[in-house]
Amino acid sequence: MLSHTKSLPRAAAMIMRVCLLIIHANSLRESPAPHPRAPRRAVLGGILTAPQWARAQSPYDAAFAASTKLDADAFYAAHPYRSAGDVLAYIEKCAAPGDASAVLQAFEYFGKKYPMYSIGATKGKILDSAVATARPRRIVEVGSFLGYSAVRMAAKLPGDGMLACVEGNPEFARTAEGVVARAGLSDRVRFFVGLAADEIPGVAKTLGRADLVFLDHCKECYAPDLERMEAAGLVAKGTVVVADNVVFPGAPGYLDKVAAPAYATVLKSAPYEAVGWETRWKEVDDAMSISTRL
C-alpha cells in the first residue's frame, strides 16, 4: 500500500509532461508561416524598395525626360537658342558629365526644336560607318560647328588617338570645346581656331599623316583645302576623306578633285540636315562622299 501511494506523484508528473507536449505541438501547427524577410532597402524607411531603386533616374535623365514633354512654346521659353552657348547649357542640364551618348541625345533633341547645321543622327551614322571602317588613330575635322560630330568621332578613337578640330568661328569653337568636355573626351581632342588655310600647317606638324579627314566647313573651300592638306602631308595614300553637303548646297569642284585615279569615291545619300528658308521649308536630298586616297 505504501509503495502504491509513493508512485502516484510520479504518474501525475508524467501525465502533466505529456499534456504539455501535446499543447505545444498544437500551438506550432496552428501558428502562421513566417513571412520572407523584406529587402533591406524596403525596411529602412519604408520608402525605397529594391525594384524602385533599380528604376531610379539620375537628375540629368529626369531633366531630359521633362524637357521632351514640353510643348513647343514651353520648350522655347525654358530652353532658348539665342547663342551657341545655349546649346551647351541645355546639354549640361540633360547629360551627365562623361556620358557621350547622353550628350549626343540631348544635342539631337535640341536640333529637332531649333534648325541647326550639325550633321544629325542620320548622317552621323554614315560618319560612324566610315570611322569604323577606317579604324583611325588620327582624325582631322575641318568645320566643327558646335561639336556634335567631334563627339561622335572622338568617342570611337582608341585611347592614344587624337582628333584635331579646325573651326573658324571662336564662339563656335568655345562651345564645341565645352560639348567635348561634357562628353569626357577632352583628352583626345585639340582645337585649332582659325581658317583652315591658316591652320593646316600647324595641324600637320601636330598630327603628321591623318587616317581620316572630315570636311564640313565652307563648301567652296573643300577642294583647295584638300589640296593644301595633300601638300602638307596630312592626306596621303590610304587616308579616308569624308565630306558633307556635296549635293546640297554642293561643293564646287570637289567631286572632280576626289575622282579617279587619285581617289576611290562613293556617295552616301541622306537628307540635308536642316529644313528652313534655304530649302524653301521642305526636306532636300543631299549626300556625303567617302573617298580613299589611292
Side-chain angles (χ1 to χ4, degrees):
M1 184 71 178
L2 185 59
S3 173
H4 177 69
T5 302
K6 289 180 178 180
S7 67
L8 284 177
R10 287 198 296 271
M14 182 66 72
I15 292 170
M16 181 65 69
R17 289 193 192 100
V18 171
C19 290
L20 288 173
L21 288 172
I22 292 170
I23 292 169
H24 181 61
N26 286 336
S27 68
L28 289 177
R29 192 164 50 244
E30 293 169 3
S31 297
H35 292 291
R37 187 175 180 181
R40 181 173 175 79
R41 286 192 292 264
V43 174
L44 297 179
I47 298 174
L48 190 61
T49 64
Q52 288 172 326
W53 179 277
R55 292 194 302 268
Q57 284 186 316
S58 77
Y60 302 102
D61 293 336
F64 176 71
S67 76
T68 65
K69 295 175 183 176
L70 299 175
D71 63 27
D73 290 340
F75 187 93
Y76 299 146
H79 308 288
Y81 185 24
R82 295 162 297 199
S83 67
D86 290 332
V87 179
L88 178 58
Y90 176 74
I91 289 170
E92 289 177 337
K93 290 177 183 176
C94 297
D99 189 341
S101 295
V103 166
L104 294 175
Q105 174 183 253
F107 208 132
E108 289 165 7
Y109 190 77
F110 197 87
K112 290 179 180 178
K113 297 296 183 179
Y114 296 102
M116 62 174 62
Y117 298 101
S118 65
I119 61 172
T122 301
K123 287 184 174 179
K125 291 176 183 177
I126 296 173
L127 183 59
D128 289 348
S129 178
V131 172
T133 300
R135 300 177 64 184
R137 287 183 58 252
R138 295 156 299 186
I139 301 176
V140 177
E141 177 182 57
V142 186
S144 297
F145 188 42
L146 305 183
Y148 177 86
S149 52
V151 170
R152 288 195 85 112
M153 292 188 289
K156 292 172 176 57
L157 281 171
D160 62 346
M162 177 178 282
L163 167 62
C165 293
V166 181
E167 174 52 55
N169 183 311
E171 182 186 7
F172 292 171
R174 285 192 299 272
T175 300
E177 284 189 89
V179 170
V180 167
R182 191 64 175 185
L185 298 167
S186 295
D187 61 333
R188 61 187 72 176
V189 181
R190 179 172 173 182
F191 282 85
F192 295 78
V193 182
L195 298 178
D198 298 328
E199 299 299 325
I200 283 171
V203 174
K205 184 176 179 180
T206 301
L207 222 62
R209 174 187 169 277
D211 302 307
L212 186 141
V213 172
F214 178 44
L215 302 176
D216 194 15
H217 61 312
C218 156
K219 309 312 169 187
E220 294 81 5
C221 301
Y222 281 16
D225 283 343
L226 181 56
E227 288 185 1
R228 293 183 180 99
M229 285 188 273
E230 291 172 340
L234 268 173
V235 173
K237 184 177 180 180
T239 300
V240 174
V241 183
V242 182
D244 192 18
N245 307 127
V246 296
V247 171
F248 184 87
Y254 179 74
L255 291 180
D256 291 335
K257 170 67 180 171
V258 293
Y263 288 85
T265 296
V266 296
L267 296 184
K268 299 289 185 178
S269 297
Y272 184 63
E273 53 269 22
V275 174
W277 64 268
E278 63 185 320
T279 67
R280 298 185 179 181
W281 303 102
K282 62 182 180 180
E283 188 174 277
V284 173
D285 292 335
D286 188 18
M288 300 175 78
S289 62
I290 301 174
S291 308
T292 304
R293 185 74 166 93
L294 301 176

